[in-house]
Amino acid sequence: MTSLGNLRDLYQQVILERYKKPRHRGKTSPVDRYQKGHNPSCGDTIELTVQLNDAGDRIEDVRFEGEGCAIAMASADLMAEAMRGRTMDEALQMVQRFQTMMQGKDEFPADLRKLNVMQGVSQFPVRIKCATLTWHTLKAALEASSNSQPDEFVSNE
Ligand code: ZN
C-alpha cells in the first residue's frame, strides 16, 4: 500500500503545483481560436485561446483563463504545454487519447508522460469531467472554422 500511497501523493503534488503556479495562463497573441467551456457538475469554467501558424494547421501556443478546481486548472495548464507545436491531427489524437486514458485504458508515451499524472484522477469518477473539460474545449476550438462564430460555450454535461 505504501507505494500506491506515494504514487497518489505524487499525482496530487503535481496537480497542486500546477494549480498554484500555472505556466500557461493568459491569452495568446494573436487569438486565432477562442472557445469557452463549462463543467456544470463542478462549476469549472475555462476560456481557451489558440495561436496557429500561418498555414493554420499547427498550434503555436495555447493559453487558458478561467476559474475552477485544482484538477480542472492543472489539466488545462498541462494540456496547454503539451499542445505547443502540434499539428491539428496530432492535437485531436491527443484529445482522444486523454479521454481513453480517463477510462483507464491508455496512457501517453514517454515524451508526453507529464500528462500521465492525470491518470490518478480516473480513480475518482466524479472528477473525470474536471480533468477532461479543457481537452473537450480545445477540440471544439480546433474544429470550429476560424471565420465562424463559436458557440457561446461548450458544456460537457
Ligand atoms: Zn472541477
Side-chain angles (χ1 to χ4, degrees), residues 32 67 81-82 90 124:
D32 293 312
E67 297 301 327
E81 187 166 289
E90 285 169 343
F124 307 100

Side-chain angles (χ1 to χ4, degrees), residues 2-133:
T2 316
S3 63
L4 255 182
N6 289 345
L7 197 60
R8 201 173 310 153
D9 287 348
L10 177 69
Y11 290 148
Q12 287 175 356
Q13 238 173 47
V14 173
I15 288 169
L16 281 176
E17 194 216 293
R18 286 285 173 157
Y19 176 59
K20 287 180 191 157
K21 290 183 193 166
R23 298 172 198 175
H24 303 277
R25 252 195 188 269
K27 277 198 166 85
T28 62
S29 173
V31 175
D32 293 312
R33 298 291 165 88
Y34 167 83
Q35 184 68 56
K36 208 168 175 179
H38 182 51
N39 172 24
S41 65
C42 177
D44 311 309
T45 302
I46 206 150
E47 287 180 73
L48 286 184
T49 50
V50 181
Q51 178 188 354
L52 301 175
N53 66 352
D54 290 341
D57 59 4
R58 190 179 285 273
I59 294 170
E60 296 278 345
D61 197 12
V62 178
R63 300 258 158 192
F64 74 97
E65 286 182 341
E67 297 301 327
C69 68
I71 292 170
M73 296 296 115
S75 189
D77 202 52
L78 287 165
M79 184 209 69
E81 187 166 289
M83 285 299 168
R84 299 185 112 180
R86 304 284 163 185
T87 65
M88 292 294 204
D89 284 349
E90 285 169 343
L92 292 173
Q93 279 167 21
M94 285 162 68
V95 171
Q96 183 60 50
R97 181 171 277 197
F98 191 87
Q99 282 165 348
T100 314
M101 182 172 86
M102 283 294 124
Q103 295 159 9
K105 291 180 197 156
D106 201 357
E107 62 178 21
F108 285 90
D111 60 322
L112 288 168
R113 66 178 172 273
K114 270 187 199 168
L115 295 172
N116 291 335
V117 299
M118 299 307 292
Q119 270 179 311
V121 176
S122 67
Q123 299 163 29
F124 307 100
V126 294
R127 310 312 297 276
I128 290 175
K129 283 181 177 175
C130 302
T132 55
L133 174 65

